[in-house]
Amino acid sequence: MKSTKILESSIFLVVIIIAIISVSYIYSTQNKAKKSLFSLNTEYQNLRFEMLDLREVMHYMLLSEGRKLPEEIDSVLPIDTCILRIHNVACLGCYAENLIRFSKMMNNEKIPFFILGTYPNQKQFTSELSGIISLDSISSFNTSNYGFLPVDSMNRPYLFFKTEKKETRNVYVFEKGEYNMMDEYVEQIKNRINY
């Protein structure tokens, strides 16, 4: 009888221990699943935001394609030259790596480009740019005209060409840290201009 009680007690303890281990395991697994689900949801939301951002960029690029340029700007821009558009509303520091890479690529390929800025004065325009890219042998113009293309409202640096019809074409908006599309854009410029 005594041995039966000990056996029952032992079985009872083993069952309790197994139940505790099972509950702990289930709780641990459930906690990991919650963390994993939270991580996946965060990643999904980030990707969703990036897709919405790209959609907006494409929308403004399309709206800016084929637009007539204001006379003040048209008169200073060269035809069939890549134009880098920057302004003091855009965070140039945020796009510094893109701008440095773009400038180096264009210089390495010996493709001229023109910089069109909108800054309160020429000194600020030159100061902001020279901290990022070398302005030697690059033509530029600072204008007070800010929003002449829809893409200006995105507050990002962008590129475009001016056609003989005084319209914009091949609008490209810089993406922070995105270099593959920019490399392809420069490659297209090189092929198109045959430099």
Side-chain angles (χ1 to χ4, degrees), residues 144-183:
S144 60
N145 193 335
Y146 170 67
F148 62 90
L149 288 177
V151 74
D152 278 318
S153 65
M154 295 198 72
N155 300 326
R156 298 181 188 184
Y158 63 91
L159 304 168
F160 70 95
F161 281 81
K162 177 183 108 171
T163 67
E164 291 177 5
K165 295 179 181 178
K166 302 177 181 184
E167 296 176 342
T168 59
R169 77 166 172 215
N170 300 339
V171 179
Y172 169 77
V173 178
F174 284 95
E175 291 288 324
K176 293 179 200 173
E178 169 52 54
Y179 307 117
N180 291 335
M181 289 189 307
M182 184 175 63
D183 292 351

Side-chain angles (χ1 to χ4, degrees), residues 1-13:
M1 202 175 252
K2 210 176 197 186
S3 64
T4 312
K5 278 201 174 228
I6 292 174
L7 184 62
E8 286 177 359
S9 295
S10 297
I11 292 173
F12 180 72
L13 282 174

Side-chain angles (χ1 to χ4, degrees), residues 16-163:
I16 294 290
I17 291 171
I18 291 173
I20 290 171
I21 291 172
S22 297
V23 168
S24 295
Y25 176 75
I26 291 169
Y27 179 75
S28 167
T29 305
Q30 188 179 30
N31 224 10
K32 286 179 185 176
K34 282 182 183 177
K35 286 180 183 177
S36 183
L37 185 60
F38 178 76
S39 177
L40 285 173
N41 187 42
T42 302
E43 191 174 327
Y44 167 75
Q45 293 300 332
N46 288 339
L47 288 172
R48 186 171 177 257
F49 177 75
E50 285 179 30
M51 290 300 295
L52 289 172
D53 184 54
L54 284 173
R55 185 176 171 188
E56 182 183 29
V57 167
M58 289 174 55
H59 175 75
Y60 279 106
M61 286 170 49
L62 288 171
L63 286 176
S64 300
E65 195 72 26
R67 292 285 183 125
K68 289 275 188 199
L69 295 166
E71 184 57 40
E72 169 206 357
I73 292 173
D74 175 61
S75 64
V76 295
L77 296 181
I79 293 173
D80 280 333
T81 298
C82 186
I83 298 158
L84 169 61
R85 175 77 170 114
I86 59 170
H87 41 77
N88 65 334
V89 181
C91 169
L92 284 191
C94 299
Y95 297 94
E97 288 300 317
N98 296 76
L99 295 170
I100 291 167
R101 185 177 176 116
F102 170 75
S103 178
K104 283 182 182 176
M105 289 170 60
M106 296 296 274
N107 289 333
N108 289 344
E109 297 294 337
K110 297 187 180 9
I111 302 172
F113 67 98
F114 187 93
I115 301 174
L116 177 62
T118 300
Y119 284 82
N121 57 56
Q122 187 65 32
K123 183 179 178 185
Q124 186 181 358
F125 173 61
T126 306
S127 171
E128 283 248 0
L129 270 177
S130 62
I132 298 173
I133 59 177
S134 171
L135 296 176
D136 300 338
S137 73
I138 298 175
S139 300
S140 64
F141 180 72
N142 187 37
T143 177
S144 60
N145 193 335
Y146 170 67
F148 62 90
L149 288 177
V151 74
D152 278 318
S153 65
M154 295 198 72
N155 300 326
R156 298 181 188 184
Y158 63 91
L159 304 168
F160 70 95
F161 281 81
K162 177 183 108 171
T163 67

